[in-house]
Amino acid sequence: MMRFTQMNKAASAFYIPSVSFIGAGALKLAGPKIKSLGFKNALIVTDKGIVAAGLIEPALATLKNDGGIANFTIFDNVQPNPTVKNVEDGLKALEESKADCIISIGGGSPQDCAKGIAIVKTNGGKINDYEGLDIPKKPQYPCIAINTTAGTASEITRFSVITDEVREVKMVITTDTITPTIAINDAEMMVKLPKSITAATGMDALTHAVEAYCSLGASHVTDACALQAVRLIKKHLVTATFNGNDIPAREGMSYAEYLAGMAFNSAGLGYVHAMAHQLGAVYHLAHGVCNAILLPHVEDYNKTVVPHRLRDIAEALGETTLGLSDAEAADAAIAGIRKLSVAVEIPSGFKALGVKEDADLGRLADAALKDVCATFNPRQGTKEDIIELYRRSL
């Protein structure tokens, strides 16, 4: 039986967008709400993959017909692991278009870039000025997020992750004023998502749920969100990965990523994300794949301090824990994570992706320990601990 033992005994805060629309047909359902805000001229922040997939034109038609937006300027130069330059170029496009709102369409990269543009527009300076916790003083420019992947939850969170190309570091900007006004998760916008991206983003959502549940910032509210997210991911991820046209599976993953986002948005994350951010910045690897590879190794490291929490994760993953000690159940959770990762064909280690065991590991570890996500890991360690976790993940 799952035991909801609260990690953080102190009072806690809970962050969420003012309104969200989820499920098949959610974009059309959101139309009247968008129209009520009175926007007429939108900057669309997206990437070339979304454009090539044919998702832009149907979305613009709905925004025009149901949302009352007459004019659109498309900025589609966002790259995976969005950069400082992407934000600067997007800000220039916003100023030239004189748009009265920003609408992001895509996965985590367009969402993060759009939020970066929106916060710099109203606060001035450069996105680098806002790395860290609660630095912007003014609310962001009006921002509506239309999500096309079931993974990052950037459309609902108070985080924006932007790569500083000069330092080769992923900056984490954290403030509730960066959360979009409206979040839309329409399963019908996700059916064209390739298998590899479905798998990677789904494992990203699982990582959000597991890290949030084991986080030092966890509360009863985030616990409930995290565990239900794990159950839904276990039920729907494999089907969504290998049968992308299955709307119930896509919808299940939409709710799963949203719940996982609700959990980590308030509870925080841990070493998996702190370490994955650095791999993305230096090696330009897919964030979800990095998380999936790191997750079992980090939870194996954490299991000595949160075995009872990992027991709950094991049960949510459908693993048998009857008669097992907490330590044994924690191992069952780690095995369940690995089985799901294998089932959706995630690589088993980083060597296959070009990461080498050299001086980079020390540099990666230093940056990971400075990452805000590391603060919430239930077992705090040393640089040597982080280097060893990287080595085990190779």
Side-chain angles (χ1 to χ4, degrees), residues 112-302:
D112 279 359
C113 187
K115 292 193 287 186
I117 295 166
I119 208 71
V120 176
K121 171 62 177 173
T122 53
N123 285 269
K126 296 185 176 181
I127 191 64
N128 311 62
D129 300 331
Y130 304 107
E131 182 180 7
L133 179 63
D134 291 333
I135 296 174
K137 302 303 180 187
K138 299 177 182 178
Q140 66 173 358
Y141 206 64
C143 194
I144 296 167
I146 302 172
N147 186 35
T148 64
T149 67
T152 70
S154 183
E155 78 282 358
I156 70 166
T157 65
R158 60 192 180 110
F159 300 91
S160 175
V161 182
I162 304 295
T163 300
D164 183 331
E165 312 98 304
V166 176
R167 292 185 294 151
E168 289 190 316
V169 168
K170 277 195 174 185
M171 302 181 296
V172 181
I173 296 96
T174 307
T175 173
D176 60 320
T177 61
I178 209 169
T179 306
T181 303
I182 298 175
I184 300 166
N185 278 282
D186 191 331
E188 293 175 354
M189 296 282 290
M190 302 177 182
V191 295
K192 294 184 179 181
L193 198 66
K195 180 180 74 173
S196 61
I197 299 178
T198 301
T201 54
M203 291 301 293
D204 187 18
L206 179 67
T207 306
H208 292 157
V210 173
E211 288 213 286
Y213 193 67
C214 295
S215 167
L216 293 173
S219 70
H220 292 305
V221 176
T222 62
D223 283 351
C225 294
L227 288 177
Q228 182 61 6
V230 174
R231 296 185 194 104
L232 287 170
I233 292 165
K234 171 63 177 177
K235 182 176 181 180
H236 295 294
L237 178 56
V238 174
T239 301
T241 297
F242 295 102
N243 183 10
N245 291 318
D246 189 311
I247 291 294
R250 290 291 191 188
E251 196 163 53
M253 285 304 300
S254 295
Y255 279 98
E257 80 99 33
Y258 190 92
L259 285 163
M262 288 172 64
F264 89 80
N265 198 34
S266 298
L269 290 162
Y271 281 170
V272 178
H273 273 76
M275 295 171 68
H277 287 158
Q278 316 322 316
L279 289 163
V282 175
Y283 290 95
H284 310 294
L285 301 177
H287 178 65
V289 172
C290 292
N291 281 340
I293 293 172
L294 287 165
L295 181 59
H297 297 285
V298 172
E299 297 318 318
D300 187 63
Y301 174 81
N302 288 335

